[in-house]
Amino acid sequence: MKRIISLIIITIFITSLCACGCDYDGPIIYTKTSIYFDTPCTITVYDYDNDDIDIYDTIDEGFVLLGKLEKVFDKNDKKSDVYKLNHSNGKFVKVDDNLLKVIKYAKSFSKNNNDSFNVCLGSVIDLWGIDTEHPRVPADKEIKNALKSVDFNSIKIKGKKVKLKNKDTCLDFGAIAKGFATDALKKFLVKERITSGIIDLGGNITTIGSKDGGNFKIGIQKPFGKKGQRSYIVECRNKSLSTAGIYERYFKQRGKLYPHIINPLTGYPISTDLYSVTVIGDKSITTDTLSTALIVSGLKDGIKKVNKLDDIDAIFIDKYQKVHLSNNLKITGNNITFKNNK
Ligand code: ADP
Ligand code: MG
């Protein structure tokens, strides 16, 4: 159903602010939204020099790239390498180069954040079915059983081949694929001579260059607010921002909210003091994975972790809608900026 609704609301609008015949002397703005990874994805390009590159075509090619990547990482698509790997009964499978890169990254990230992130959570995630039409609270026994297959040491890599030693291990890239795709799309657009723009893949935003020679102003969604309602604005350039939140995808049973983010140690959806975590860094693959890991860690441990990392900042919104910032950020009114002006 969610998929059907998504297809119905596929909105494709290309706005081009006319720079001729009027006083407007800003850039021509091209923006287009389409559904990939089950979420609206928007590419916006600011064209300052009005050179002869065909930006509409470039944006469309960017969406073609997203379509290809979506297929690679969809564990429910029988044709995808992830599906083949998850159903390979412990045998080696040759995988797509992009998938191989992400598996390597995800294995090492899961190892370094083993209390909060695990790319092998697939069977637990499927039990809960939170992103499906039929979410449910599984029996404790089922969860304990599924947890046995959650082990990143099960992933073995040999050249371009991967195997899952434990045949029940199931990889899930829900917390990483959009981040990887955001980086890949940015690389593509920059190669195609786009010098200013924003990519927004539902919670993963990255900026290209600067806006009118200055910072971009990126809004942070107010948790449980109306879609598009901003709680804070981050001023930055050439940065990636990813938000993990408990307000986006969840189901409720007997008044209890079960978000789609799972504690990998217990196999249960997180019960947390945070509504959302937005991570800011250079690469979207890093900010995407970290945002999920940090919301699982909770406020106290999460903020400690971030403050130890170089070139990473984070905005935590707690369950009272109060904001907490990592060391290098400051807030004035609703505007969040970097202390060291990076
Ligand atoms: P969003 O998809 O809204 O960006 P996240 O980036 O936080 O949200 O990713 C959540 C998705 O990641 C879940 O739908 C699930 O597929 C997967 N996931 C949930 N919990 C974890 C976890 N602790 N570690 C790794 N992946 C997770
Ligand atoms: Mg995410």
Side-chain angles (χ1 to χ4, degrees):
M1 187 62 183
K2 207 181 282 163
R3 188 82 201 168
I4 294 170
I5 293 172
S6 300
L7 288 172
I8 292 170
I9 61 155
I10 287 181
T11 41
I12 299 178
F13 24 72
I14 300 181
T15 317
S16 177
L17 282 189
C18 174
C20 46
C22 58
D23 289 340
Y24 179 76
D25 63 353
I28 303 178
I29 304 168
Y30 301 81
T31 180
K32 181 167 178 175
T33 300
S34 200
I35 306 284
Y36 291 94
F37 298 98
D38 234 355
T39 191
C41 299
T42 302
I43 301 174
T44 303
V45 170
Y46 301 97
D47 182 25
Y48 288 91
D49 22 72
N50 205 354
D51 62 18
D52 59 359
I53 52 173
D54 195 334
I55 292 172
Y56 294 123
D57 285 352
T58 305
I59 291 177
D60 280 337
E61 285 169 34
F63 281 123
V64 170
L65 174 64
L66 284 188
K68 284 187 187 152
L69 292 176
E70 176 188 54
K71 281 209 166 71
V72 169
F73 291 103
D74 184 353
K75 77 179 199 300
N76 299 316
D77 178 349
K78 289 190 176 164
K79 287 195 202 119
S80 77
D81 282 359
V82 177
Y83 183 93
K84 287 177 195 156
L85 188 55
N86 281 343
H87 296 83
S88 60
N89 272 319
K91 292 199 186 71
F92 270 110
V93 174
K94 187 171 175 298
V95 298
D96 169 274
D97 284 352
N98 287 315
L99 179 58
L100 185 66
K101 263 190 233 163
V102 173
I103 290 177
K104 286 181 181 166
Y105 182 91
K107 182 179 176 182
S108 123
F109 190 85
S110 303
K111 203 168 176 176
N112 296 333
N113 297 274
N114 65 344
D115 56 350
S116 55
F117 190 99
N118 203 316
V119 69
C120 301
L121 264 172
S123 39
V124 177
I125 289 165
D126 288 347
L127 264 189
W128 287 91
I130 293 172
D131 282 340
T132 72
E133 286 311 299
H134 306 287
R136 67 180 182 106
V137 180
D140 205 39
K141 228 167 78 186
E142 289 178 276
I143 293 170
K144 288 220 167 72
N145 197 35
L147 270 178
K148 287 183 200 156
S149 67
V150 180
D151 177 10
F152 48 79
N153 286 315
S154 173
I155 305 173
K156 300 289 171 200
I157 301 167
K158 200 161 82 183
K160 291 192 169 195
K161 290 182 179 168
V162 182
K163 84 169 177 185
L164 302 173
K165 210 171 74 180
N166 178 340
K167 63 178 178 40
D168 295 327
T169 297
C170 177
L171 303 181
D172 180 288
F173 294 92
I176 191 166
K178 277 181 280 157
F180 176 79
T182 306
D183 288 333
L185 184 53
K186 176 171 178 172
K187 203 167 156 194
F188 168 77
L189 293 178
V190 169
K191 192 183 96 220
E192 295 297 316
R193 294 189 284 136
I194 300 299
T195 53
S196 174
I198 302 181
I199 296 166
D200 181 350
L201 264 57
N204 293 281
I205 294 175
T206 197
T207 61
I208 299 172
S210 61
K211 169 101 190 288
D212 304 332
N215 286 326
F216 286 94
K217 294 187 169 152
I218 309 291
I220 309 274
Q221 171 69 40
K222 185 179 169 71
F224 299 105
K226 281 201 204 102
K227 190 102 190 128
Q229 189 182 354
R230 306 304 188 201
S231 49
Y232 300 97
I233 304 284
V234 181
E235 289 192 29
C236 61
R237 70 169 90 170
N238 250 324
K239 286 284 179 197
S240 295
L241 296 87
S242 298
T243 300
I246 64 160
Y247 55 87
E248 198 76 64
R249 298 179 190 220
Y250 59 82
F251 81 103
K252 263 185 167 173
Q253 191 169 296
R254 294 195 195 94
K256 190 168 161 51
L257 185 146
Y258 296 94
H260 72 145
I261 298 171
I262 308 281
N263 180 328
L265 301 181
T266 64
Y268 278 79
I270 52 170
S271 143
T272 168
D273 54 357
L274 292 171
Y275 273 174
S276 75
V277 179
T278 300
V279 177
I280 310 168
D282 292 335
K283 291 191 103 191
S284 196
I285 191 166
T286 315
T287 56
D288 196 14
T289 43
L290 258 179
S291 62
T292 304
L294 293 176
I295 200 167
V296 176
S297 300
L299 179 58
K300 195 162 153 263
D301 287 353
I303 214 157
K304 252 197 243 161
K305 275 189 189 173
V306 173
N307 284 332
K308 283 190 199 146
L309 298 172
D310 289 335
D311 299 324
I312 294 284
D313 286 284
I315 299 160
F316 298 79
I317 300 183
D318 71 19
K319 60 181 177 185
Y320 307 106
Q321 301 275 8
K322 188 167 176 263
V323 70
H324 306 259
L325 304 176
S326 61
N327 284 341
N328 189 34
L329 295 176
K330 60 179 185 206
I331 187 162
T332 316
N334 284 336
N335 267 33
I336 297 175
T337 50
F338 292 86
K339 283 185 188 164
N340 69 359
N341 250 336
K342 266 209 276 185

